């Protein structure tokens, strides 16, 4: 277990009264909101819900946004240390823990800095002001004559005290007013501080929930149905319980698990149960992905006009129409999900890499039938996490087993097949765009229509349970009703409304209520596909208007920050307005531009991608990607770049390789053989430039580059081939089909 987890345990034990935490910000208060407060302060207005100053010289930081590789712990530490004027070494970051940490919901939507970071900035600024006021009284000096250095409060006359000396006098059990000004001159904010989560990961030290060990810990595996909605008919548990090391076979309806002394014994027992279990299959999946695409437009849907604009414009002289598709995609985490649960003295503790401790607890409480104060969810980073993978589900699995075997810590590790077949996928999507140009080459009409399942079935809803095991119990729970995240953030329609300015525009979202495959949040939600479609159409319109693609985008934008990132990305790539697709030896080459402002609320990102294509094999190689990004005030510029770079590598993999395979009998994707991802040899050179705006608020950056990156690659491929591919992923088979189609037309 890593250092942060040990701190959390010590802090939990030190400050607990049973399970009733002795602070002013009990979970009942977390439901109260103060909308006028910025960021996550609205739901967590108490100052002591964010930090504690201890007499021993430590600052305990409590945050509800979790670390899962995005570097948020380091950035939040910079914010706290900067606003309080203390060294980073004084900070103790408590992993998000229900009943202790502020309830910031889910760490998602690239909102950690934008919402959690701004809350901590105000909390620390207010705490600093409170301590200065107290020091002023204690030292008999005006606040204007005091300064703070690493927590020491020093007067111009040499008198001094400190946060630590005053900590017993100063009570932080008060609401945040946000009246204390935020610092303007920074010492740590804006600096590329080395990330605190990296050393353990690269040195092989325990870093993840998968690495955790506890005294007396047992190992478990779940035996999944062979297909969604299958029912367990029978299992001869006695045979399995006689196997070496097996402690128990746990069954509840169609939920089936094995528990053993050692991990390899649990795996052997799992394989035995697979052979012995008899199931009734539903056989209700679509036959293929194309067959599902053929059905989608006829399925029941909740239809919403997301955006509409009607204004004067020139008469259309040319209309382009296109349909774009995106398949079901998996999270593809390198490390399958894992959790540890321990039922002791009537309290269920669960360590998991979920992105939302409080929402997870809501569903665990429903399924276990325990009061909320008897369920404690503690975040422990996992080796692979973003969106809703299996982290929430594995937590319930472990808790159910621990509930059946109290007093023993249960470590439940999913297998690769479990992760691929039972995690929630990113939804398949169809997007139709019709766009018209006038005689001057200006866009005068734009219609965007999309069909998709929901992109969020996370736990924590008021009704139903969104953890899949809950649906297979002897007394099953229903899933929560399908819904969309409302605009302006959006779910399936995220980024469906372009930032471009068109005189006439209509965006329609068809939210499908029938979900043949389980779906939920995959990084960017619908933005990835919507930006792919919009930016592909923008390139085709630029060609139709005989205008350079970069200039065409600039012509249709009013937002100067959007124009700045496009201009900067073009400069980075030495964009040549006269460039054309060329043949390099036996390969075709091309380049493409794309842009988006994530959710139209967060970071601006523009990309230029360069590709080479082997016509004989159809293989696409992305050689270079250039990206310019604007996320306002950059807390940690290197961390910012990490997020943009990682997003571009991820989107290159999605765009070229990834798609979940299935038929009527079940999910066919069970291993990396059926779900190829980008390998190191194919990773492109990535160049990122940050436009840092110190006087602007910090914007979310973690999901800003996936949409533009995909579209830039697609536009580069279209440039190289002289033929667009409208369906993702851009596989060799589709490349060869496009070349064959072009040859036939020629």
């Amino acid at each position: 277990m890593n250092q942060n987890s040990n701190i959390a345990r010590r802090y939990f034990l030190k400050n607990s009264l049973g399970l009733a935490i002795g602070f002013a910000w009990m979970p009942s208060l977390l439901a109260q909101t103060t909308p006028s407060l910025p960021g996550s302060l609205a739901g967590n207005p108490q100052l002591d819900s964010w930090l504690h100053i201890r007499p021993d010289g430590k600052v305990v930081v409590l945050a509800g946004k979790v670390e899962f590789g995005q570097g948020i712990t380091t950035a939040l530490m910079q914010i706290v240390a900067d606003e309080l004027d203390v060294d980073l070494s004084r900070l103790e970051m408590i992993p998000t823990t229900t009943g202790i940490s502020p309830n910031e919901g889910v760490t998602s939507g690239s909102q950690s800095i934008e919402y959690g970071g701004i809350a901590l900035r105000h909390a620390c600024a207010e705490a600093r002001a409170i301590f200065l006021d107290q020091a002023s009284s204690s030292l008999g000096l005006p606040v204007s004559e005091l300064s703070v250095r690493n927590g020491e409060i020093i007067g111009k006359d040499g008198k001094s005290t400190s946060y630590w000396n005053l900590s017993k006098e100063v009570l932080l059990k008060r609401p945040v007013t946000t009246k204390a000004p935020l610092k303007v001159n920074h010492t740590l904010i804006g600096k590329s501080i080395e990330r605190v989560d990296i050393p353990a990961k690269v040195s092989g030290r325990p870093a993840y929930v998968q690495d955790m060990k506890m005294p007396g810990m047992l190992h478990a595996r779940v035996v999944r149905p062979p297909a969604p909605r299958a029912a367990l008919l029978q299992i001869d548990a006695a045979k399995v319980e006689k196997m070496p090391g097996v402690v128990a076979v746990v069954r509840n309806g169609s939920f089936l698990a094995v528990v053993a002394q050692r991990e390899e014994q649990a795996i052997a027992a799992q394989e035995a149960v697979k052979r012995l279990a008899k199931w009734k299959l539903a056989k209700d999946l679509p036959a293929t992905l194309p067959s599902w695409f053929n059905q989608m437009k006829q399925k029941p849907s909740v239809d919403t006009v997301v955006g509409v604009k009607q204004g004067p414009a020139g008469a259309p002289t040319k209309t382009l129409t296109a349909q774009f598709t995106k398949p079901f995609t998996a999270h593809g985490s390198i490390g399958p999900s894992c959790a540890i649960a321990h039922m002791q003295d009537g309290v269920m503790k669960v360590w998991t890499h979920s992105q939302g401790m409080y929402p997870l607890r809501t569903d665990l409480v429903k399924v276990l039938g325990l009061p909320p104060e008897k369920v404690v969810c503690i975040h422990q980073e996992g080796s692979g996490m973003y969106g809703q993978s299996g982290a929430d589900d594995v937590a319930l699995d472990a808790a159910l087993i621990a509930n059946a075997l109290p007093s023993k810590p249960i470590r439940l590790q999913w297998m690769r097949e479990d992760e691929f077949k039972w995690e929630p996928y990113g939804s398949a999507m169809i997007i139709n765009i019709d766009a018209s140009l006038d005689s001057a080459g200006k866009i005068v009409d734009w219609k965007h229509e999309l069909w998709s399942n929901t992109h969020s079935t996370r736990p924590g809803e008021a009704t139903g349970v969104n953890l899949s095991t809950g649906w297979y119990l002897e007394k099953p729970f229903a899933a929560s009703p399908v819904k969309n995240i409302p605009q302006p953030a959006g779910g399936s329609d995220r980024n469906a409304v372009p930032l471009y300015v068109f005189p006439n525009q209509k965006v329609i979202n068809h939210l499908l209520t029938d979900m043949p495959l389980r779906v939920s949040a995959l990084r960017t939600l619908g933005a990835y596909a919507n930006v792919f479609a919009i930016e592909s159409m923008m390139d085709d319109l630029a060609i139709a208007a005989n205008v350079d693609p970069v200039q065409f985008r600039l012509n249709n934008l009013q937002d100067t920050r959007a124009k700045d990132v496009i201009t900067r990305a073009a400069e980075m790539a030495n964009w040549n307005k006269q460039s054309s697709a060329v043949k390099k030896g036996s390969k075709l080459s091309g380049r493409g531009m794309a842009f988006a402002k994530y959710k139209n609320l967060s970071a601006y990102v523009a990309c230029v991608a360069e590709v080479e294509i082997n016509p004989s094999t159809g293989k696409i190689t992305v050689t270079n990607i250039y990206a310019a990004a604007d996320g306002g005030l950059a807390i940690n510029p290197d961390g910012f770049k990490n997020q943009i770079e990682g997003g571009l590598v991820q989107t290159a993999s999605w765009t070229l390789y990834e798609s979940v395979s299935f038929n009527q009998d079940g999910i066919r994707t069970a291993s990396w053989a059926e779900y190829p991802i980008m390998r190191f040899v194919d990773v492109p050179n990535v160049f990122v430039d940050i436009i840092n705006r110190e006087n602007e608020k910090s914007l979310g950056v973690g999901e800003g580059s996936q949409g533009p990156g995909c579209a830039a690659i697609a536009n580069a491929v279209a440039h190289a081939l002289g033929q667009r591919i409208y369906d993702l992923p851009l596989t060799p088979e589709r490349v060869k089909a496009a070349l064959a189609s072009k040859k036939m037309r020629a």
Side-chain angles (χ1 to χ4, degrees):
M1 190 180 301
N2 70 16
Q3 181 183 6
N4 282 346
S5 293
N6 290 328
I7 292 170
R9 181 186 289 111
R10 293 197 304 269
Y11 201 73
F12 182 83
L13 293 173
K14 182 178 179 181
N15 293 283
S16 298
L17 297 175
L19 262 290
I21 310 304
F23 301 134
W25 34 273
M26 287 296 292
S28 60
L29 292 178
L30 297 172
Q32 302 174 13
T33 61
T34 309
S36 60
L37 294 175
S40 297
L41 285 175
N44 307 275
Q46 289 298 113
L47 182 53
D48 67 339
S49 68
W50 296 95
L51 73 156
H52 288 254
I53 309 288
R54 295 204 317 235
D56 65 357
K58 292 294 185 180
V59 178
V60 176
V61 183
L62 304 139
K65 296 298 185 183
V66 306
E67 176 72 65
F68 50 91
Q70 79 277 42
I72 191 61
T73 300
T74 307
L76 293 179
M77 289 176 70
Q78 288 178 249
I79 287 171
V80 172
D82 209 320
E83 289 293 341
L84 285 177
D85 282 314
V86 300
D87 289 346
L88 289 167
S89 60
R90 290 192 180 274
L91 306 185
E92 290 190 3
M93 304 294 292
I94 304 303
T96 304
T97 303
T98 56
I100 291 180
S101 305
N103 184 352
E104 293 194 74
V106 179
T107 305
S108 63
S110 301
Q111 295 177 341
S112 294
I113 292 297
E114 192 169 351
Y115 286 79
I118 194 63
L120 266 174
R121 282 193 75 189
H122 279 288
C124 292
E126 192 130 338
R128 185 178 188 274
I130 291 169
F131 275 98
L132 283 172
D133 283 341
Q134 185 63 41
S136 174
S137 298
S138 299
L139 300 176
L141 295 171
V143 170
S144 61
E145 294 186 11
L146 301 176
S147 61
V148 184
R149 299 175 194 168
N150 192 21
E152 301 294 320
I153 304 173
I154 305 166
K156 284 187 176 180
D157 62 358
K159 293 180 181 179
S160 68
T161 183
S162 67
Y163 292 156
W164 342 116
N165 292 339
L166 298 172
S167 61
K168 291 184 179 179
E169 301 175 36
V170 174
L171 293 177
L172 300 182
K173 293 183 180 180
R174 62 181 80 186
V176 178
T177 66
T178 68
K179 292 179 180 178
L182 301 176
K183 286 179 64 177
V184 176
N185 298 316
H186 303 296
T187 55
L188 290 171
I189 290 175
K191 301 291 193 300
S192 293
I193 303 298
E194 292 183 358
R195 280 173 48 177
V196 297
D197 62 309
I198 295 297
K201 296 174 181 177
V202 299
S203 65
R205 299 199 306 271
Y208 303 116
V209 65
Q210 287 89 343
D211 301 323
M212 286 178 63
K213 295 179 181 178
M214 291 185 177
M217 186 172 72
L218 299 176
H219 296 269
R221 289 294 188 275
V222 173
V223 180
R224 297 289 178 193
R229 293 170 287 280
L232 180 61
L233 297 177
Q234 66 179 53
I235 175 65
D236 188 348
K239 286 186 178 180
V240 181
E241 288 172 338
K242 294 176 183 177
M243 294 178 65
V246 173
V247 174
V249 175
V250 177
R251 179 183 179 182
N252 185 335
S254 293
F255 171 70
L256 192 56
V258 294
V259 185
Q261 297 284 349
R262 297 174 56 85
E263 190 166 16
E264 73 275 12
Q265 295 167 338
I267 294 171
Q270 180 191 40
E271 292 301 319
V273 171
K274 284 182 181 179
R275 294 190 296 270
L276 294 169
K278 305 297 181 185
W279 302 87
K280 180 182 179 181
L281 301 182
K283 291 184 176 289
D284 58 353
L285 293 179
T288 61
L289 179 62
S291 70
W292 175 239
F293 282 138
N294 291 336
Q295 299 172 38
M296 284 177 72
K297 292 183 179 181
Q298 285 72 49
K299 290 291 182 180
S301 64
V302 177
D303 302 336
T304 307
V305 177
V306 178
V308 63
K309 186 189 298 182
Q310 290 181 311
T317 59
K318 184 179 294 185
T319 298
L320 302 185
T321 299
Q323 176 171 290
F324 304 86
T325 68
K326 168 202 166 291
F328 292 101
T329 44
H331 293 77
S333 297
I334 298 299
S337 295
C338 179
I340 293 178
H342 191 192
M343 182 66 167
Q344 190 172 35
D345 300 327
V347 177
M348 177 68 73
K349 293 183 183 179
V350 182
W351 288 261
T352 173
H353 58 126
S354 165
Q355 290 178 216
M357 296 295 105
Y358 283 94
L360 172 62
R361 185 181 70 170
T362 296
D363 276 21
L364 294 184
V365 163
K366 292 177 185 177
V367 177
L368 299 174
L370 294 171
E373 66 271 15
K374 297 295 186 181
V375 178
V376 181
C377 295
I378 306 165
H379 182 263
Q380 178 69 35
E381 191 177 355
S383 57
M385 186 66 221
Y386 46 83
Q388 187 187 348
S389 63
D392 295 291
D393 296 287
V394 75
L396 175 58
D397 293 344
L400 285 168
I401 300 168
N403 200 42
L405 299 171
S407 79
K408 289 287 188 180
I410 303 296
R411 179 186 182 275
L412 177 60
Q413 170 76 62
W414 275 14
M415 302 295 282
R416 171 59 54 196
E417 182 177 354
D418 298 326
E419 191 77 36
F420 268 131
K421 289 190 173 185
W422 290 92
E423 64 148 81
Y425 305 122
S427 177
M429 297 179 68
I430 295 176
I431 299 165
N432 285 5
I433 297 182
D434 302 319
S436 299
L437 297 168
D438 65 11
S439 57
K442 295 182 180 297
I443 299 174
V444 293
D445 191 51
W446 180 278
K447 182 180 179 182
H448 181 124
E449 195 167 8
L450 67 102
W451 290 261
S452 174
N453 292 131
T454 180
H455 285 252
S456 183
T457 57
R458 291 185 185 272
E461 296 292 335
T463 60
V465 166
N466 283 339
L467 304 176
S468 61
T469 294
W471 312 335
Y472 290 85
L473 301 177
E474 185 176 353
K475 294 181 179 179
F477 291 82
S480 301
V482 170
K483 63 180 183 180
N484 221 341
I485 297 171
Q487 287 284 335
S492 55
D493 51 9
R494 182 168 291 180
N495 274 101
V497 179
L499 199 66
Y500 302 107
V501 179
F502 307 138
N504 293 288
Q505 177 177 292
K506 191 172 186 180
V507 180
I508 305 169
N509 180 17
H510 302 281
L511 175 65
L512 307 186
T513 55
D514 177 22
M515 296 193 297
L517 276 67
R518 183 187 179 206
V519 297
S520 190
L522 178 65
R523 210 168 191 183
T524 78
L525 281 61
Y528 168 74
N530 284 315
V531 174
F532 160 64
I534 291 168
E535 290 296 296
S536 294
M537 179 59 79
M538 288 296 290
D539 250 36
D540 290 347
L541 288 167
I543 293 169
N546 195 30
V547 179
D548 172 71
V550 170
Q551 189 59 50
F552 188 74
R553 286 169 170 80
L554 296 175
N555 292 346
N556 286 280
L557 283 166
Q558 292 180 353
D559 190 319
T560 57
R561 292 171 71 176
K563 292 182 178 183
D564 286 349
V565 293
I566 290 173
T567 301
R568 182 68 191 113
E571 290 171 349
M572 292 170 65
N574 295 315
W575 185 271
N576 182 352
K577 293 183 180 180
Q578 304 303 318
S579 66
S580 59
V582 297
K583 193 167 184 178
K584 294 183 178 179
S586 61
K587 294 182 179 180
L588 301 172
S589 69
R591 55 168 31 182
M593 154 69 70
F595 158 79
K597 180 183 182 184
Y598 183 53
K599 297 190 290 188
N600 289 350
L601 297 169
S602 297
Y604 300 79
V605 180
C607 300
V608 174
E610 296 175 341
V611 304
E612 291 184 353
I613 301 174
N614 186 324
S616 61
T617 64
K619 178 179 172 61
I620 299 169
T621 300
V622 182
T623 55
N624 300 300
I625 303 181
Y626 304 88
D630 172 0
L633 171 63
I635 303 298
N636 186 318
D638 187 57
F640 188 151
K641 284 188 176 183
N642 294 163
Q643 289 296 286
I644 300 299
E645 291 165 347
L648 290 172
V649 173
Q650 181 178 52
T651 199
S653 183
W654 286 350
T655 302
L656 300 183
Y657 300 99
E658 299 185 35
S659 177
V660 173
S661 175
F662 57 89
N663 61 24
Q664 287 181 312
D665 293 331
I667 309 297
R668 311 312 301 164
T669 297
S671 69
W672 296 115
E674 298 85 29
Y675 196 85
I677 60 173
M678 177 169 279
R679 296 182 178 273
F680 284 112
V681 68
D682 292 317
V683 172
N685 298 310
V686 178
F687 308 91
V688 177
D689 192 20
I690 303 300
I691 299 176
N692 187 22
R693 300 186 186 273
E694 295 184 0
N695 296 321
E696 299 286 350
K697 73 172 186 176
S698 299
L699 301 174
V701 303
E703 299 164 277
S705 60
Q706 285 86 346
C710 165
I713 293 169
N715 286 335
V717 170
H719 183 216
L721 296 177
Q723 173 87 2
R724 183 166 296 282
I725 300 174
Y726 297 92
D727 304 297
L728 295 172
L730 309 179
T731 60
E733 293 74 20
R734 285 174 171 154
V735 169
K736 289 191 283 187
L739 287 170
S741 173
K742 181 181 178 182
K743 185 175 181 181
M744 288 179 62
R745 289 199 309 275

